[in-house]
Amino acid sequence: MYTRNVREIIEALIFSSDGALEIKDILKVLPGISENEVESMVNELNKIYDETGRSFMITRASNGYMFVSRDGYTQYIKALMPPFRLSRASLEVLAVIAYKGPCTKQDIDLIRGVDSSSSLKTLVHHELVNVIAGRPLRYVTSKKFLEVFGLNSLSELPDLDQFEELFGKA
Amino acid sequence: MSSLQAGTEFVLRLPRFEGPLDLLLYLIEKNRLSIEELELCPIIDQYLEYINAVRRLNIELAAEFLDMASYLLWLKSSSLISINSGTEDSELVNPMAELKEMLAAYRGIKIAARNLNERQLLYRERFPKGRTPKVEADVSKMDIMAILKAIASIRERTKHYVVSIKRDRYHIREIMGRINSMLQKKKKVSLVEVAETRVKSEIIAIFLAALELSKASIVRLVQKSIYGTIYMVRRSESFTSQNKRDPLRYK
């Protein structure tokens, strides 16, 4: 049916993608292949990488797949690019947007009780947050946000109520 | 009193508070209270203590901390009033409940933020293919030569756009003096004669000086036709010492 192994076609697609490649895009290229088949082939690929001692693997994020380095290589990569960390303030702003978004800056300030301008700027700059045009501007988390935090969708975030259970009604 | 001790402890912890709500949550936890059973009095005292301690150190406090302080005091006073009058306002929004709600919401976000932080593997433990995160240059860690080099390169790049403007300053009073001395030699002087340069700002200054002199009744402005030359004609008697008003001091 295809001139190449489907498994390797999937590998090529993920390899050439900038950021996570969504499964539905893979299915578009390969009609007749199911989502489960894609998943099992990705598992096979990962097994091959593991067995042949590759330094990378395919990981799931943002309803798709992307190549990332394996954990053992972190210290060497870190020498070239400093790890990316967000400040507590930025993480709080990001959390508000992830749980309450799309929301305005005013919404965010209200929940945090402080001005959030500079954190918002950082988050937009790092493309973790997208701006929805309009008056007032509204903010939503981006595809990159899902990638960075290893989520397929926002619904995978634990419920805020669940936190209450986890940490008690302190 | 534990206040002094507590004060010093707070100061050390200062950078950890993201805002007034954060500080309140800390105090509530420290007092082993829950948001539900929040009692205002001890919390308010400690809150104000903290703010005073910070101010003693001359550290600038975000305005939000002070806003919250006045809000808490208002809350305390309004709760006292409602106890005295014995009216449990059921229709009005209970401000205390509102504060509790705010605290609970913020605490949820705080925990969610911590959870996000723990989730993050990408760019920390695992790096994606061929995508370098945008890293902000940390200016505080750069050596001075690198900064000077950067400034030089910016200068070089923007050289063509830099136009140096020389500002000519003309004082109207100075020009009024100039006109004065000219009018002492002859009775009639044209505006153009006064100008020493063709600079626009000087022409404007001369025009304004002429208006001032005319207003002070020292000269009469004469123009024969539209766009014609404007002359200043000395008013005969006003220019002598009889005139008590010193034109040069005229503002």
Side-chain angles (χ1 to χ4, degrees):
Chain A
M1 187 178 169
Y2 298 108
T3 57
R4 297 274 161 190
N5 286 335
V6 171
R7 193 179 67 196
E8 274 63 40
I9 297 174
I10 293 172
E11 182 184 44
L13 291 175
I14 300 171
F15 175 80
S16 56
S17 159
D18 183 19
L21 177 65
E22 287 194 28
I23 297 175
K24 66 171 167 39
D25 290 327
I26 298 175
L27 299 181
K28 236 183 269 167
V29 181
L30 300 169
I33 304 290
S34 76
E35 205 174 313
N36 282 341
E37 282 173 293
V38 172
E39 196 185 328
S40 69
M41 281 178 206
V42 167
N43 288 341
E44 274 177 38
L45 286 168
N46 270 334
K47 200 160 164 251
I48 295 170
Y49 302 148
D50 195 23
E51 281 165 3
T52 54
R54 297 295 87 204
S55 59
F56 52 82
M57 62 183 183
I58 297 172
T59 180
R60 185 95 206 236
S62 179
N63 274 322
Y65 296 103
M66 64 193 288
F67 273 102
V68 293
S69 64
R70 270 182 194 280
D71 293 353
Y73 298 87
T74 316
Q75 55 166 313
Y76 302 102
I77 301 171
K78 275 182 179 168
L80 266 191
M81 43 181 117
F84 173 68
R85 269 171 215 287
L86 288 168
S87 69
R88 241 189 80 189
S90 297
L91 280 166
E92 280 183 16
V93 174
L94 197 56
V96 177
I97 298 170
Y99 280 92
K100 315 270 177 186
C103 56
T104 64
K105 179 182 167 296
Q106 206 192 354
D107 298 332
I108 302 165
D109 290 351
L110 206 65
I111 292 182
R112 296 188 61 232
V114 278
D115 181 76
S116 307
S117 324
S118 73
S119 298
L120 259 179
K121 227 183 194 169
T122 309
L123 294 172
V124 173
H125 174 80
H126 288 294
E127 294 163 357
L128 291 168
V129 161
N130 289 333
V131 187
I132 304 176
R135 265 179 161 230
L137 294 174
R138 287 181 307 152
Y139 300 89
V140 280
T141 50
S142 63
K143 177 172 175 253
K144 192 176 167 193
F145 166 81
L146 297 175
E147 289 171 21
V148 169
F149 293 96
L151 297 161
N152 283 312
S153 75
L154 289 176
S155 60
E156 281 187 8
L157 283 171
D159 266 343
L160 283 179
D161 300 337
Q162 232 170 300
F163 285 134
E164 287 284 325
E165 281 165 37
L166 278 173
F167 294 88
K169 292 221 165 201
Chain B
M1 229 170 99
S2 65
S3 63
L4 229 164
Q5 255 188 324
T8 36
E9 187 190 351
F10 294 156
V11 175
L12 291 173
R13 289 173 175 278
L14 171 69
R16 283 188 38 206
F17 298 120
E18 287 299 330
L21 291 173
D22 199 16
L23 171 57
L24 278 178
L25 281 180
Y26 167 76
L27 292 176
I28 290 168
E29 213 171 289
K30 200 175 126 69
N31 287 273
R32 293 171 194 280
L33 292 169
S34 73
I35 293 179
E36 280 312 307
E37 60 193 27
L38 169 62
E39 282 172 61
L40 267 184
C41 292
I43 300 293
I44 289 182
D45 290 344
Q46 288 170 29
Y47 187 94
L48 295 177
E49 232 167 68
Y50 168 79
I51 286 191
N52 286 332
V54 171
R55 292 181 121 191
R56 267 202 298 279
L57 288 177
N58 284 330
I59 295 173
E60 209 175 304
L61 208 55
E64 289 93 346
F65 282 93
L66 301 176
D67 281 352
M68 179 58 84
S70 61
Y71 178 70
L72 289 174
L73 288 172
W74 171 80
L75 218 86
K76 190 175 166 183
S77 62
S78 65
S79 71
L80 287 176
I81 290 166
S82 77
I83 288 167
N84 288 341
S85 60
T87 48
E88 281 296 320
D89 36 18
S90 48
E91 284 168 38
L92 290 166
V93 193
N94 182 355
M96 194 64 190
E98 220 175 351
L99 178 68
K100 285 176 183 173
E101 216 168 277
M102 272 166 69
L103 283 168
Y106 176 67
R107 199 176 49 132
I109 287 303
K110 221 181 119 175
I111 297 167
R114 208 185 304 153
N115 177 263
L116 275 182
N117 190 37
E118 283 159 12
R119 286 197 77 95
Q120 192 203 331
L121 279 178
L122 209 66
Y123 296 115
R124 267 199 207 164
E125 299 304 319
R126 296 170 183 177
F127 288 80
K129 174 174 63 74
R131 282 208 291 174
T132 333
K134 286 182 198 163
V135 178
E136 293 284 293
D138 186 351
V139 179
S140 67
K141 285 187 187 135
M142 274 164 77
D143 68 301
I144 192 83
M145 277 317 288
I147 294 172
L148 288 176
K149 254 189 210 162
I151 294 172
S153 90
I154 291 169
R155 276 224 185 102
E156 185 61 32
R157 245 184 306 152
T158 54
K159 204 164 63 182
H160 303 296
Y161 308 109
V162 178
V163 181
S164 58
I165 298 169
K166 206 174 127 232
R167 202 160 98 188
D168 300 298
R169 293 217 66 152
Y170 290 96
H171 293 280
I172 294 174
R173 272 178 53 187
E174 191 186 292
I175 292 185
M176 282 164 77
R178 198 197 296 171
I179 297 169
N180 253 347
S181 52
M182 286 170 84
L183 282 174
Q184 267 161 6
K185 286 174 209 139
K186 50 183 185 172
K187 200 174 183 296
K188 189 171 119 181
V189 174
S190 73
L191 287 191
V192 187
E193 272 174 81
V194 183
E196 286 170 351
T197 64
R198 291 277 152 196
V199 181
K200 210 182 259 172
S201 56
E202 191 192 15
I203 311 270
I204 292 168
I206 291 168
F207 187 72
L208 291 174
L211 291 179
E212 289 290 359
L213 288 169
S214 151
K215 195 177 165 197
S217 308
I218 294 161
V219 300
R220 205 148 43 83
L221 294 174
V222 180
Q223 186 181 31
K224 289 263 165 66
S225 59
I226 298 174
Y227 303 125
T229 316
I230 302 172
Y231 291 97
M232 288 171 285
V233 186
R234 176 176 14 120
R235 283 182 183 250
S236 42
E237 65 297 353
S238 63
F239 207 66
T240 60
S241 52
Q242 290 163 5
N243 192 345
K244 291 193 180 76
R245 207 192 237 157
D246 178 0
L248 294 183
R249 291 182 77 187
Y250 185 79
K251 273 239 155 193

